[in-house]
């Protein structure tokens, strides 16, 4: 068995940790990041176990099924003074007499699915485009990045609305539209990282050893571009959830009777004075989710950016 | 010296040229034969005396071909008699001309303003015989009307009438509560209780005849089978829809036409809710349930636009979606469409599923409901049904409602049997007013009779609607806001009262003769227009000429579409 000089000098306990371990350590010290992460874990739990947590089917119209209920009924909680013999709907009933609490719970599934799916698609597309542009350079770089610039020139939501108008309404098309409008950001981030990494010594060494371009890109360059991408992705999920909610609010995303927070808000927007609970709860759900991803994203940026930790 | 000579020459030349211009060239001079002869000049003795009124020269508009219009001729017989000759009998003629687009304006005003140059005056400065005359239209803000002091009938109770608008129902209610409005339209159903519980306000139910229906297109499978349509008709709990999604006062529709309209609900009433029989019928057809309990999949199309006949479209769509699945095992996808596209596609019969649509009365006659929807030229339900349109065609030639009754009964029974659509609801709506406004009452059709309202201690009445009028030349408008404003300023030969009764207004009476094809109207005498002129038969002929005769030089409007005249009668002398 052999040991390196560094290990001999520092001893086993003082072995230098990897940048990832350092980042994790910094992240665990980040309070708001922990709050964000905790909320996200909770939301993931709610989404996964929605059928167990929701007292009703989210699309179940309860008219005629439960006695003494009416549409847009206010929240009824026994502990807060609601008669015990009345059906307990802790977030009330919506305009079709469906249980709002169950719909908010199932809405978590849709929103997280939208966030993760669109960002995954956008990251894949953005990474390929950004990596090719940054690594190949020249006219390929120019072509790809100018196209990305064109996409970036439009306000994201407006472009998404235009795409959905062409493709047709529906959650699937909304996902695609949001993925398309999110792609340029990731392409830019990856390209910038590739440009900074590709001239470094270990890449030149790999090239000198005869490694293929693909191998260099996948094994040496892209792993070193990950930190900014992770930060961007976390913040991107929040944006994607907001965009999807906005599209559904406008009637372009999830279609009835799908329980989606944006469409729940949109359907009952005129009841803001008469039945505020119908807009309050889905609105609150959107706010908490977006806030959680933003908190985590900020914490990740702090944790992964070495320039902020050069002590 | 040479300069002086040149100057003199120039002066002489200019003088000569001026003289030449002053004297016309012989070729340009009027020929002696073209000059007016002295004998042709009016003799002093022939000139009308200032005190004598000019002789009445009756106007006439004709379209002998009867190809594009149901009206053959409109003729002034004398100063106070107008005759309409129709191409074929139209039992709803008087009911149609009682609608605002057919109201009367002065002949001279039309001739002066119905052109492109004076279009702004035409559209914004109406002149009529109504109880109010327009003072000023503050675009984007309000329209101010003043009492017409020379009104032939009982003058308006308030000196000033103000039309304002606010898009949101909540905002209209706030204004009413604050006292900045005296009367508001279209109270949101959720605010009914608020208005009722406020002692300063009064809720005024509107009984505007309307129908909400679920339509099928019989060229789309499986709706090409009448048994499927019938099964759905029996499998939808319409009472539950009306009870839960419609405001108080709404009714379950047992016929397409509301019963308030004569001959509207004659025949067998609609199927009662019977999911068992409905499922049996679907089993018979062979549309059995699969493992998931689904017989077949379809779509429900609608537009998300508030209408009195369908106040909550998205909620009702989801309710129907839910009922189809629960009661019948039919899985439906709900598809909301842009309003214009939805109307275009549904009325053209181009939707591959069910669709939710409705209709509000334009005039109070059964033809406005049945003939428009079930005529042989209407493709909105796919292939037209002769069993329905044939009795309607026969009924349309009969003026006497009692005589026409058996045909309407036959048509209603055929509708029930063939189920081109399912009549669901006659929606109710409500306006609201300040409690201290005397005589406040909503009208069955059109705006309330604001000239009869008396707000206590105020000489200004503020009327708040949902939108600003488009123009005040209602011959070429279709929006309710414009039509409401026009009713304050202009009047028709006939008009509907607030209770929906059709009464003569500018006409003393109209007589229908010669197998319902000749309508002769005698005008009220001594009626003044706001410009001081007196109503005569030529004003009526010119008003109808401008809106109905496409060949008239005065056939000018806001868009030029003249939708209501075109839809009610067809345009005369229409160029293909």
């Amino acid at each position: 068995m052999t040991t390196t000089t560094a290990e001999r000098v520092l001893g086993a306990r003082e072995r230098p940790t990897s940048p990832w371990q350092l980042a994790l350590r910094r992240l665990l010290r980040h309070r708001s990041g922990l709050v964000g992460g905790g909320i996200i874990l909770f939301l993931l739990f709610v989404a996964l176990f929605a059928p167990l947590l929701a007292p009703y089917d989210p699309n179940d119209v309860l008219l005629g099924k439960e006695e003494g209920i009416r549409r847009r009924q206010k929240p009824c909680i026994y502990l807060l003074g609601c008669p015990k013999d009345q059906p307990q709907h802790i977030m009330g009933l919506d305009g079709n007499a469906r249980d709002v609490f169950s719909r908010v719970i199932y809405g978590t599934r849709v929103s997280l699915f939208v966030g993760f799916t669109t960002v995954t698609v956008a990251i894949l597309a953005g990474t390929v485009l950004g990596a090719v542009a940054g690594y190949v350079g020249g006219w390929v770089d120019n072509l790809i990045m100018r196209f990305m610039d064109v996409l970036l020139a439009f306000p994201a939501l407006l472009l998404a609305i235009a795409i959905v108008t062409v493709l047709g309404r529906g959650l699937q098309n909304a996902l695609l539209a949001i993925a398309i409008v999110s792609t340029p950001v990731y392409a830019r981030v990856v390209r910038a990282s590739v440009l900074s990494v590709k001239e470094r010594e270990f890449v030149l060494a790999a090239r000198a050893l005869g490694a293929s371009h693909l191998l260099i890109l996948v094994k040496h360059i892209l792993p070193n571009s990950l930190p900014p991408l992770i930060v961007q992705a976390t913040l991107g999920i929040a944006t994607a959830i907001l965009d999807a909610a906005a599209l559904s609010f406008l009637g372009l995303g999830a279609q009835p009777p799908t329980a989606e927070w944006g469409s729940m808000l949109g359907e009952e927007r005129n009841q803001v004075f008469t039945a505020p609970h119908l807009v309050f709860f889905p609105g609150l759900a959107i706010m908490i989710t977006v806030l959680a991803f933003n908190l985590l994203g900020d914490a990740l940026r702090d944790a992964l950016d070495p320039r902020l930790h050069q002590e | 010296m040479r300069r002086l000579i040149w100057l003199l020459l120039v002066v002489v030349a200019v003088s000569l040229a001026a003289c030449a211009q002053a004297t016309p060239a012989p070729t340009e001079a009027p020929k002696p034969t073209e000059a007016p002869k002295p004998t042709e000049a009016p003799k002093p003795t022939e000139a009308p005396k200032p005190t004598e009124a000019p002789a009445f020269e009756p106007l006439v508009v004709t379209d002998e071909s009867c190809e594009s219009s149901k009206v053959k001729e409109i003729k002034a017989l004398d100063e106070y008699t107008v005759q309409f000759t129709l191409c074929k009998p139209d039992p709803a003629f008087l009911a149609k001309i009682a609608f605002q687009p057919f109201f009367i304006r002065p002949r001279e005003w039309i001739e002066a303003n119905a052109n492109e140059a004076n279009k702004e005056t035409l559209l914004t400065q109406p002149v009529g015989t109504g109880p109010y005359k327009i003072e000023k239209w503050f675009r984007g803000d309000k329209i101010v009307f003043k009492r017409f002091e020379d009104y032939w009938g009982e003058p308006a109770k308030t000196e000033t009438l103000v039309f304002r608008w606010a898009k949101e129902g909540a905002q209209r209610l706030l204004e009413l509560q604050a006292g900045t409005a005296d009367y508001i339209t279209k109270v949101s159903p959720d605010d009914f209780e608020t208005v009722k519980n406020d002692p300063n306000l009064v809720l005024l139910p509107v009984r505007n005849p309307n129908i909400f229906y679920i339509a099928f297109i019989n060229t789309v499978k499986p709706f090409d089978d009448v048994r499927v349509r019938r099964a759905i008709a029996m499998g939808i709990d319409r009472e539950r829809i009306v009870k839960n999604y419609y405001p108080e006062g709404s009714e379950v529709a047992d016929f397409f036409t509301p019963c308030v309209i004569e001959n509207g609900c004659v025949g067998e009433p609609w199927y009662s809710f019977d999911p068992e029989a409905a499922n049996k019928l679907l089993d018979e057809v062979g549309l059995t349930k699969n493992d998931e309990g689904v017989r077949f999949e379809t779509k429900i199309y609608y537009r998300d636009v508030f209408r009195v006949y369908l106040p909550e479209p998205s909620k009702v769509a989801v309710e129907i979606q839910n009922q189809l699945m629960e009661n019948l095992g039919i899985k439906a996808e709900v598809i909301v469409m842009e309003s214009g596209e939805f109307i275009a596609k549904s009325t053209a019969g181009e939707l591959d599923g069910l669709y939710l649509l409705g209709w509000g009365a334009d005039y109070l006659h059964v033809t406005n409901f049945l003939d428009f929807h079930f005529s042989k030229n209407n493709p909105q339900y796919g292939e037209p049904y002769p069993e329905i349109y044939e009795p309607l065609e026969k009924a349309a030639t009969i003026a006497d409602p009692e005589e026409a009754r058996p045909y309407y009964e036959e048509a209603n029974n055929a509708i029930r049997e063939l189920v081109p659509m399912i009549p669901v609801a006659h929606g109710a709506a409500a306006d609201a007013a300040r409690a201290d406004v005397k005589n406040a009452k909503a009208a069955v059709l059109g705006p309330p009779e604001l000239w009869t309202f008396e707000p206590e201690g105020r000489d200004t009445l503020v009327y708040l609607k949902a939108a600003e009028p488009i123009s005040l030349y209602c011959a070429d408008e279709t929006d309710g806001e414009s039509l409401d404003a026009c009713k304050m300023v202009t009047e028709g030969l006939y008009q509907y009262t607030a209770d929906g009764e059709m009464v003569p207004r500018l006409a003393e009476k109209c007589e229908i003769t010669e197998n319902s094809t000749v309508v002769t109207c005698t005008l009220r005498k001594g009626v003044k227009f706001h410009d001081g002129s007196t109503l005569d038969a030529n004003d009526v002929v010119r008003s109808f000429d401008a809106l109905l005769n496409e060949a008239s030089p005065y056939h000018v409007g806001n868009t030029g579409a003249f939708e209501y005249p075109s839809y009610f009668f067809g345009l005369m002398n229409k160029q293909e």
Side-chain angles (χ1 to χ4, degrees):
Chain A
M1 181 182 274
T2 57
T3 50
T4 63
T5 315
E7 278 176 336
R8 275 199 304 271
V9 171
L10 296 169
R13 280 188 182 180
E14 292 168 7
R15 202 167 32 192
T17 46
S18 73
W20 291 107
Q21 283 172 312
L22 275 173
L24 183 66
R25 206 177 287 168
R26 284 196 288 263
L27 183 65
L28 290 173
R29 282 202 299 264
H30 205 292
R31 279 188 194 166
S32 56
L34 283 179
V35 172
I39 294 172
I40 291 168
L41 283 177
F42 172 72
L43 290 172
L44 282 170
F45 173 80
V46 169
L48 280 172
F49 298 101
L52 299 174
L53 296 170
Y56 296 89
D57 183 294
N59 302 328
D60 204 1
V61 175
L62 299 172
L63 287 172
K65 291 180 182 168
E66 283 184 354
E67 285 296 315
I69 57 154
R70 57 187 172 78
R71 299 191 308 129
R72 301 199 176 100
Q73 186 175 296
K74 285 179 183 155
C76 177
I77 307 166
Y78 168 60
L79 293 173
L80 296 178
C82 183
K84 202 175 183 179
D85 56 341
Q86 268 193 22
Q88 304 290 299
H89 296 284
I90 60 172
M91 290 185 185
L93 297 176
D94 74 358
N96 278 99
R98 295 172 294 195
D99 183 56
V100 176
F101 178 57
S102 305
R103 290 181 69 73
V104 169
I105 285 178
Y106 274 87
T108 317
R109 278 186 161 187
V110 179
S111 289
L112 292 188
F113 174 74
V114 168
F116 286 117
T117 316
T118 51
V119 168
T120 307
V121 173
I123 283 180
L124 286 175
T127 303
V128 171
L129 292 168
V132 170
Y135 190 75
V136 177
W139 67 268
V140 176
D141 179 24
N142 232 336
L143 186 75
I144 292 173
M145 293 321 291
R146 291 304 75 77
F147 180 61
M148 294 295 112
D149 287 345
V150 169
L151 287 182
L152 276 173
F154 294 98
L157 190 60
L158 207 62
L159 187 58
I161 290 170
I163 294 169
V164 173
T165 309
V166 174
L167 298 176
R169 297 157 191 254
L171 193 59
Q172 271 187 342
N173 292 338
L175 288 179
L176 192 61
I178 297 165
I180 291 171
V181 300
S182 310
T183 299
V185 179
Y186 299 104
R188 270 193 167 183
V189 169
V190 172
R191 177 180 172 271
S193 298
V194 170
L195 283 177
S196 72
V197 174
K198 77 172 184 180
E199 299 302 334
R200 286 170 67 177
E201 292 81 356
F202 63 92
V203 176
L204 295 175
R207 203 174 289 160
L209 288 169
S212 69
H213 292 306
L214 189 65
L215 188 77
I216 294 170
L217 249 180
V218 174
K219 203 167 180 186
H220 299 289
I221 296 180
L222 284 181
N224 284 286
S225 313
L226 269 180
L229 202 60
I230 291 170
V231 174
Q232 190 57 49
T234 318
L235 296 169
I237 291 174
T239 314
I241 289 172
L242 260 186
D243 285 350
L247 285 177
S248 297
F249 181 89
L250 297 171
L252 299 169
Q255 295 297 301
T258 310
E260 202 273 343
W261 297 335
S263 64
M264 286 168 75
L265 264 178
E267 281 169 16
E268 303 290 354
R269 65 186 182 277
N270 291 330
Q271 312 302 328
V272 68
F273 295 118
T274 51
H277 62 283
L278 296 179
V279 289
F280 176 76
F281 290 114
L284 188 71
I286 295 172
M287 192 202 81
I288 288 174
T289 311
V290 171
L291 181 70
F293 279 102
N294 279 336
L295 288 176
L296 184 68
D298 285 346
L300 278 171
R301 190 188 52 211
D302 294 350
L304 291 169
D305 192 343
R307 285 168 296 185
L308 296 174
H309 306 278
Q310 287 178 340
E311 69 276 357
Chain B
M1 187 63 193
R2 191 177 283 177
R3 277 186 185 173
L4 196 64
I5 292 167
W6 273 112
L7 186 66
L8 278 170
L9 281 172
V10 168
V11 169
V12 171
V14 168
S15 308
L16 284 171
C19 291
Q21 274 177 0
T23 316
T27 49
E28 288 171 4
K31 291 172 188 172
T33 49
E34 287 172 3
K37 292 173 188 170
T39 49
E40 285 175 4
K43 291 172 188 170
T45 49
E46 286 172 6
K49 290 172 189 171
T51 50
E52 266 182 344
F56 182 75
E57 289 178 13
L59 289 176
V60 60
V61 184
T62 50
D63 179 5
E64 287 295 335
S65 71
C66 279
E67 280 172 2
S68 57
S69 176
K70 293 176 188 168
V71 181
K72 188 192 275 185
E73 189 181 73
I74 306 162
K75 189 177 180 182
L77 298 181
D78 61 45
E79 207 171 345
Y80 293 106
T81 315
V82 187
Q83 191 177 71
F84 298 86
T85 309
L86 309 180
C87 298
K88 57 181 182 180
D90 184 351
F93 181 79
L94 293 179
K96 288 175 182 174
I97 63 165
F99 192 34
Q100 287 93 311
F102 301 93
F103 283 8
I104 308 305
R105 290 162 179 81
R107 171 195 177 181
E108 296 76 13
W109 181 83
I110 293 172
E111 290 172 358
N113 297 306
N115 52 60
E116 290 301 324
N118 293 331
K119 205 166 164 180
E120 186 61 20
T121 307
L122 181 81
L123 302 183
T124 61
Q125 294 293 321
V127 171
T129 57
Y132 285 106
K133 57 182 181 178
I134 190 159
E135 172 90 354
K136 190 161 185 186
W137 185 345
F138 299 88
R139 282 275 183 191
D141 182 22
K142 62 185 174 186
I143 303 176
V144 179
F145 302 90
K146 288 283 176 191
R147 179 164 50 211
F148 178 39
E149 301 294 350
D150 288 336
Y151 184 56
W152 61 270
E154 196 178 331
K157 300 285 183 194
T158 55
E159 194 195 336
T160 309
L161 168 67
V162 178
F163 264 47
R164 287 181 40 230
W165 40 89
K167 193 182 165 198
E168 300 298 332
Q171 192 188 341
R172 289 197 295 278
L173 180 58
L174 275 175
E175 292 233 24
L176 191 70
Q177 287 168 325
T180 50
D182 295 297
Y183 190 102
I184 62 168
T185 60
K186 290 182 186 166
V187 177
S188 167
D190 298 307
D191 292 329
F192 279 18
E193 281 304 309
T194 314
V195 176
K196 277 183 188 170
N197 295 333
D198 190 332
N200 296 318
L201 309 181
V202 56
L203 192 74
L204 304 162
V206 179
R207 295 173 293 131
N208 172 248
N210 61 67
I211 177 73
F212 160 58
Y213 58 88
I214 306 167
F216 302 100
I217 293 168
N218 64 9
T219 48
V220 175
K221 282 191 180 299
F223 307 123
D224 54 341
D225 191 324
V226 67
R227 290 172 297 173
V228 177
R229 301 198 297 268
R230 217 173 280 155
I232 297 176
M234 289 191 279
I236 296 280
D237 188 351
R238 298 171 305 131
E239 199 169 334
R240 173 170 143 153
I241 296 174
V242 175
K243 189 180 161 195
N244 290 295
Y245 296 91
Y246 279 77
E248 195 184 313
S250 305
E251 292 170 2
V252 175
D254 276 332
F255 295 88
F256 188 81
T257 315
C259 293
V260 69
I261 293 174
E262 196 165 17
N263 283 334
C265 48
V266 288
E268 286 282 308
W270 201 251
Y271 304 93
S272 50
F273 176 54
D274 189 351
E276 212 171 292
N279 277 299
K280 210 171 159 186
L281 210 51
L282 289 172
D283 287 336
E284 264 177 44
V285 179
L287 292 167
T288 48
K289 288 182 180 174
N290 65 13
D291 297 340
E292 291 170 356
V294 177
R295 291 181 189 276
F296 66 90
E297 292 190 16
T298 187
K299 290 165 184 162
I300 300 170
Y301 294 95
Y302 72 100
R303 58 174 174 164
D304 204 2
V305 176
F306 171 91
R307 287 287 181 270
V308 173
Y309 59 73
L310 186 55
E312 293 192 84
S314 61
K315 304 290 164 227
V316 173
V318 169
E319 169 67 20
I320 291 168
Q321 177 190 42
N322 181 63
Q323 284 203 27
L324 284 174
M325 188 62 214
E326 290 215 338
N327 302 345
L328 302 169
I330 298 169
K331 192 175 178 185
E333 185 188 349
V334 168
I335 298 176
V336 58
M337 291 175 73
E338 188 277 320
S339 181
E341 188 193 6
F342 171 74
I343 292 295
K345 291 208 164 178
S346 60
T347 51
E350 290 172 0
L351 296 173
D352 58 344
L354 308 166
Y355 62 88
L356 314 183
L357 193 54
W359 182 258
D362 298 316
Y363 56 91
L364 299 178
H365 196 276
V366 67
T367 54
N368 189 225
F369 280 78
L370 293 184
D371 292 37
F372 178 78
H373 287 87
F374 301 102
S375 72
K376 83 177 146 188
N377 300 322
N378 186 350
Q380 76 170 103
Y381 312 108
E383 288 295 322
Y385 299 91
E387 296 91 335
I388 303 172
Y389 69 71
E390 280 170 3
L392 289 179
E393 283 174 356
K394 284 177 196 157
T397 61
I398 302 166
D400 180 10
E402 275 305 311
E403 204 184 318
R405 186 186 169 98
Y407 294 109
Y408 287 120
E409 197 171 328
E410 191 184 334
N412 276 339
N413 287 343
I415 291 170
R416 184 184 185 276
E417 199 62 24
L418 297 165
V419 199
M421 53 82 230
I422 303 167
V424 179
H426 302 304
D431 293 350
R434 300 280 307 169
D436 64 357
V437 179
K438 277 188 207 161
N439 307 327
K441 183 181 183 181
V444 170
L445 205 63
E449 293 178 339
L450 297 173
W451 53 91
T452 64
F453 290 11
E454 276 183 274
E456 200 173 293
R458 303 185 291 279
D459 212 12
T460 298
L461 183 81
V462 180
Y463 177 69
L464 195 61
K465 283 213 66 157
E468 183 171 8
I470 295 171
S471 92
L472 299 182
Y473 186 58
C474 287
D476 190 22
E477 293 300 346
T478 55
D479 68 299
E481 285 72 25
S482 297
L483 297 173
D484 278 14
C486 285
K487 200 164 179 178
M488 304 301 123
V489 179
T490 53
E491 293 176 300
L493 294 178
Y494 271 67
Q495 242 167 270
Y496 292 104
T497 64
D499 294 321
E501 192 190 347
M502 196 177 69
V503 293
R505 194 86 180 180
L506 292 183
E508 277 176 349
K509 60 174 180 184
C510 284
E511 284 178 345
I512 303 171
T513 52
E514 291 180 34
N515 195 24
S516 307
T517 55
V518 177
V519 182
T520 310
C521 297
T522 310
L523 302 184
R524 200 178 286 277
K525 294 182 181 70
V527 174
K528 292 262 185 205
F529 283 104
H530 301 159
D531 62 1
S533 59
T534 308
L535 171 79
D536 65 25
N538 279 345
D539 297 316
V540 178
V541 177
R542 184 59 81 214
S543 292
F544 275 85
D545 171 51
L547 64 93
L548 212 52
N549 179 17
E550 201 183 68
S552 167
Y554 310 112
H555 188 66
V556 175
N558 186 21
T559 64
F562 289 89
E563 281 187 41
Y564 275 121
S566 180
Y567 153 52
F568 283 5
F569 298 111
L571 297 180
M572 297 167 80
N573 301 305
K574 191 170 180 171
Q575 311 274 316
E576 287 304 325

